[in-house]
Amino acid sequence: MARRFPVRLDIARGKVEMTHGGGGRAGAQLVEEIFFRHFGNAELAKAADQAQLSIAGGRIAVSTDSHVVSPLFFPGGDIGTLAVNGTVNDVAMAGAQPLWLTAGFILEEGFPLADLDRIAASMARAAAEAGVEIVTGDTKVVDRGKADGVFITTSGIGVIPEGVSLGAARIQAGDAIIVSGSMGDHGMAILSRRESIDFDSPVESDCAPLNGLVGVMLAVAPNLHALRDPTRGGLAAVLNELAHDSGTGMLIDEQAIPVSETVHAACELLGLDPVNIANEGKLVAFCPAAEADRLVAAMRTHPRGRDAAVIGHVTPGQAGLVRMRTRFGGERVVDWLNGEQLPRIC
Amino acid sequence: MARRFPVRLDIARGKVEMTHGGGGRAGAQLVEEIFFRHFGNAELAKAADQAQLSIAGGRIAVSTDSHVVSPLFFPGGDIGTLAVNGTVNDVAMAGAQPLWLTAGFILEEGFPLADLDRIAASMARAAAEAGVEIVTGDTKVVDRGKADGVFITTSGIGVIPEGVSLGAARIQAGDAIIVSGSMGDHGMAILSRRESIDFDSPVESDCAPLNGLVGVMLAVAPNLHALRDPTRGGLAAVLNELAHDSGTGMLIDEQAIPVSETVHAACELLGLDPVNIANEGKLVAFCPAAEADRLVAAMRTHPRGRDAAVIGHVTPGQAGLVRMRTRFGGERVVDWLNGEQLPRIC
């Protein structure tokens, strides 16, 4: 039931105030005039402290991600698109169809309401594209200087179709390693904005939902072994983690990894390697070699998988080791960096 | 599978570093040697980007809360106990049995690992007491001065028993209004710590899980209409919200509201009203008047409901208005404050 507040929020010129984080009218108004307006759905409109949802029995996938990206707005997206797609994708990597998201906002006193409104609008668009509803949420405000504009934590729930069972434990020697598209776009977009680097052709984040692509993949490759989205730490981190967790080795071919010309040039210039750079709309898949061509062909029919390619295979022995045949014909170990080349990438 | 890191984290003297938020080894080590060690369960140990869980079909309750309490440690609890109990209680207020939690951590660079370890230990204890598992999570690190130590966002999932249907829409004229115990303890504990006020007898936060009490209540009062936990904004905010959402009026009796002597004295001293002060281990219940005595008697058999009491009833007409018979025999409107008496209470 919509409440009536004597004066509407001044979204164009207003700022987040400490009272917006209290349990009182001001907070209720902020939630109603920004979040409910953008996210509107029957469950959220009940304004209860929890959503009540009907679900068929079976297996569900549950994921959570806190988002602290800086800057909040970047080429190809913003913290709102990231908060929705990041969690949608984590749920989708279990082979699940994401259904519902929750969103927890931590706002810094003084943050412009216009920016918050723009972020909420991005979240609503991203949720609509992914086919999920934001069913419940929470808003807190901290004093000026105790946060950095806005942090958003989203959690997602999805239903895993019967018979689908993906995970590191199913990866085995001989599996093909497939990526869905070019590596490094998100990280490079953030870097270019943060460091004010102008490339000849601008790099945009690849931030996008992957659940549609995953649906196409499961339809043609019910034998899929594992999916993972190479976000923080990039492809290198994901392959190292999966090689470790599955007790296998991996050999990839640098030449086969799709990288856009701009990202390639920027990496050369800055001394970075695209395999270490974050993506927000790409996945890595593992499937029996015999099914790889059919899977890649199916992926290429989907807009999010147009540049899908087999980039290597899982090897017996050398458990936990990821090697790469370089463009120059040599071979090197693809190490897992200790930290992150770029902090606050997502 | 446990990873091996060459040198263990120095939890006693170490600090959170930016690399702990990256996608690399340092972050994996932090998660493993602090969070996995405390929260350990089969699902979490898989270290996937999502938990995969089996669920019976039916209705579920889903909730999320971001926690930014200051100070992080306070009499009776800390941000960790609050993060677990706050979300457990929001799920329980739907009459649901909470099963799983997710946890998203935003850490400030330089935060002592010893404090993080202590908070994780508190979360593990609180989760064990509530009978829930922390099944997946996420950790981000922001630069020094861009957060305030640690913020924790938890989401919770619970199963609503068949036949249970609670909500503001079911509240009707004649319903008894019941509280489970004394009002104002959490807010006053935070205030005393923050303002370094020493009371004769120390005030402790009431931070506690309420799902056990709710189970007892549902067993004797299947006709329960609504439950709500009076957190931010206290009893006054919750009653005003529910009066608004249900289109009813409410009349409560100041004399009947349980308030501890210390909180009462502190409120007198500081000019505060216990009905506006936050609680973290109390609930408000609405049920048909004829069932109220039996319900209160059952609540009093549970440690979290020992001081349960009927404090008023729902009235026809005067929709949205909450009135209180004062201790002095008068009557006044219990208003919903615009903001919060105390910021960052949870």
Side-chain angles (χ1 to χ4, degrees):
Chain A
M1 193 192 308
R3 288 164 219 273
R4 302 238 155 61
F5 299 100
V7 181
R8 283 185 74 86
L9 274 183
D10 181 355
I11 291 177
R13 283 175 301 268
K15 309 260 187 212
V16 170
E17 297 165 18
M18 290 305 290
T19 54
H20 289 134
R25 288 179 201 276
Q29 183 173 20
L30 181 84
V31 166
E32 188 169 308
E33 295 184 10
I34 294 189
F35 298 130
F36 286 12
R37 183 165 57 85
H38 288 293
F39 303 161
N41 58 63
E43 196 49 47
L44 194 64
K46 289 180 199 154
D49 285 340
Q50 80 293 113
Q52 300 188 21
L53 306 159
S54 289
I55 196 164
R59 280 178 317 127
I60 59 173
V62 178
S63 186
T64 199
D65 260 320
S66 292
H67 296 86
V68 299
V69 67
S70 171
L72 295 172
F73 300 92
F74 49 81
D78 59 38
I79 191 171
T81 50
L82 210 53
V84 169
N85 290 327
T87 293
V88 160
N89 291 347
D90 278 345
V91 169
M93 292 307 105
Q97 189 56 38
L99 297 176
W100 303 300
L101 294 189
T102 70
F105 295 85
I106 297 172
L107 308 176
E108 183 187 7
E109 182 188 15
F111 188 67
L113 294 182
D115 286 352
L116 186 62
D117 192 66
R118 187 174 154 200
I119 289 165
S122 293
M123 293 179 75
R125 268 195 310 275
E129 185 183 345
V132 298
E133 285 190 333
I134 300 169
V135 290
T136 190
D138 183 47
T139 307
K140 294 283 157 59
V141 179
V142 296
D143 342 41
R144 206 180 288 263
K146 298 294 184 187
D148 196 11
V150 55
F151 301 141
I152 305 175
T153 301
T154 42
S155 297
I157 300 175
V159 172
I160 304 175
E162 228 185 292
V164 170
S165 170
L166 304 179
R170 294 196 58 208
I171 294 174
Q172 46 189 264
D175 276 5
I177 306 174
I178 297 167
V179 297
S180 62
S182 61
M183 293 286 108
D185 302 74
H186 176 70
M188 202 52 83
I190 296 286
L191 183 66
S192 70
R193 168 55 61 99
R194 204 184 286 164
E195 309 295 337
S196 301
I197 303 172
D198 278 328
F199 299 117
D200 288 344
S201 32
V203 189
E204 290 216 336
S205 167
D206 57 345
C207 189
L210 292 168
N211 51 327
L213 176 63
V214 170
V216 167
M217 294 171 70
L218 288 173
V220 300
N223 247 326
L224 204 59
H225 288 160
L227 293 174
R228 191 67 72 95
D229 52 340
T231 55
R232 279 188 290 182
L235 183 64
V238 159
L239 295 184
N240 270 280
E241 273 186 52
L242 292 175
H244 174 276
D245 292 349
S246 63
T248 64
M250 296 186 187
L251 179 62
I252 59 174
D253 182 355
E254 187 171 23
Q255 202 78 42
I257 301 170
V259 178
S260 80
E261 270 185 51
T262 317
V263 169
H264 180 74
C267 280
E268 296 266 295
L269 188 76
L270 300 167
L272 300 173
D273 191 325
V275 301
N276 297 123
I277 301 183
N279 310 278
E280 288 290 343
K282 301 291 157 51
L283 58 80
V284 189
F286 294 79
C287 77
E291 296 180 19
D293 287 346
R294 191 168 40 139
L295 181 55
V296 167
M299 290 171 75
R300 287 182 174 165
T301 66
H302 191 280
R304 306 284 175 219
R306 256 191 315 254
D307 300 318
V310 175
I311 62 160
H313 63 276
V314 178
T315 62
Q318 299 197 287
L321 198 69
V322 179
R323 291 166 301 140
M324 179 160 77
R325 254 188 243 111
T326 68
R327 204 164 313 152
F328 311 106
E331 196 181 291
R332 69 172 178 86
V333 169
V334 176
D335 203 6
W336 196 29
L337 299 184
N338 188 51
E340 172 76 61
Q341 292 172 312
L342 289 171
R344 301 186 58 187
I345 201 82
C346 58
Chain B
M1 191 193 305
R3 290 162 217 273
R4 304 240 153 57
F5 299 98
V7 181
R8 284 185 72 88
L9 274 183
D10 182 355
I11 290 176
R13 282 175 302 268
K15 308 260 189 214
V16 170
E17 296 164 19
M18 288 307 289
T19 54
H20 288 133
R25 288 179 200 277
Q29 183 173 18
L30 180 84
V31 166
E32 188 168 310
E33 295 184 9
I34 294 188
F35 297 131
F36 286 12
R37 183 164 57 84
H38 287 293
F39 304 160
N41 58 63
E43 195 49 48
L44 194 64
K46 290 181 198 154
D49 285 338
Q50 80 292 114
Q52 300 188 22
L53 306 159
S54 290
I55 196 163
R59 278 177 319 128
I60 59 173
V62 178
S63 186
T64 198
D65 261 320
S66 292
H67 296 86
V68 300
V69 67
S70 171
L72 295 171
F73 300 93
F74 49 82
D78 60 38
I79 191 171
T81 49
L82 210 53
V84 169
N85 290 327
T87 293
V88 160
N89 291 347
D90 279 344
V91 169
M93 292 307 105
Q97 188 55 37
L99 297 176
W100 304 302
L101 294 189
T102 70
F105 294 86
I106 297 171
L107 307 175
E108 184 187 7
E109 182 188 16
F111 188 66
L113 293 182
D115 285 352
L116 187 61
D117 192 66
R118 186 175 156 201
I119 289 165
S122 292
M123 292 178 76
R125 269 195 309 276
E129 184 183 346
V132 298
E133 285 190 333
I134 299 169
V135 291
T136 190
D138 183 48
T139 308
K140 294 284 157 58
V141 179
V142 297
D143 341 40
R144 206 180 289 263
K146 299 293 185 189
D148 195 12
V150 55
F151 300 141
I152 306 175
T153 301
T154 42
S155 297
I157 301 176
V159 172
I160 303 174
E162 228 185 293
V164 171
S165 170
L166 304 178
R170 293 198 58 208
I171 294 175
Q172 46 189 263
D175 277 5
I177 306 173
I178 297 167
V179 298
S180 63
S182 62
M183 293 287 108
D185 301 75
H186 176 70
M188 201 51 83
I190 297 286
L191 183 66
S192 71
R193 170 55 61 98
R194 204 185 284 163
E195 309 294 336
S196 301
I197 304 172
D198 278 330
F199 299 118
D200 288 345
S201 31
V203 188
E204 289 215 336
S205 168
D206 57 345
C207 189
L210 292 169
N211 51 327
L213 175 62
V214 170
V216 166
M217 293 171 71
L218 287 172
V220 300
N223 248 325
L224 204 59
H225 288 160
L227 294 175
R228 191 67 73 92
D229 52 340
T231 55
R232 278 189 290 182
L235 182 64
V238 159
L239 294 184
N240 271 279
E241 273 186 51
L242 292 175
H244 174 277
D245 292 350
S246 63
T248 64
M250 296 185 187
L251 178 62
I252 58 175
D253 181 355
E254 188 171 22
Q255 201 79 43
I257 301 171
V259 178
S260 81
E261 270 183 53
T262 316
V263 169
H264 180 74
C267 280
E268 296 267 297
L269 188 73
L270 299 167
L272 300 173
D273 190 326
V275 301
N276 297 123
I277 301 181
N279 309 278
E280 289 290 342
K282 301 289 157 53
L283 58 79
V284 189
F286 295 79
C287 77
E291 296 180 17
D293 287 346
R294 190 165 44 138
L295 180 55
V296 167
M299 290 171 74
R300 288 183 174 164
T301 65
H302 191 279
R304 305 283 177 221
R306 256 193 313 255
D307 299 319
V310 174
I311 62 161
H313 64 276
V314 178
T315 61
Q318 298 196 289
L321 198 69
V322 179
R323 292 166 301 140
M324 179 160 77
R325 254 187 243 112
T326 69
R327 205 165 311 152
F328 310 105
E331 197 183 291
R332 69 171 178 87
V333 170
V334 176
D335 203 7
W336 197 28
L337 299 184
N338 189 50
E340 172 76 64
Q341 292 173 313
L342 289 171
R344 299 185 59 186
I345 200 81
C346 60

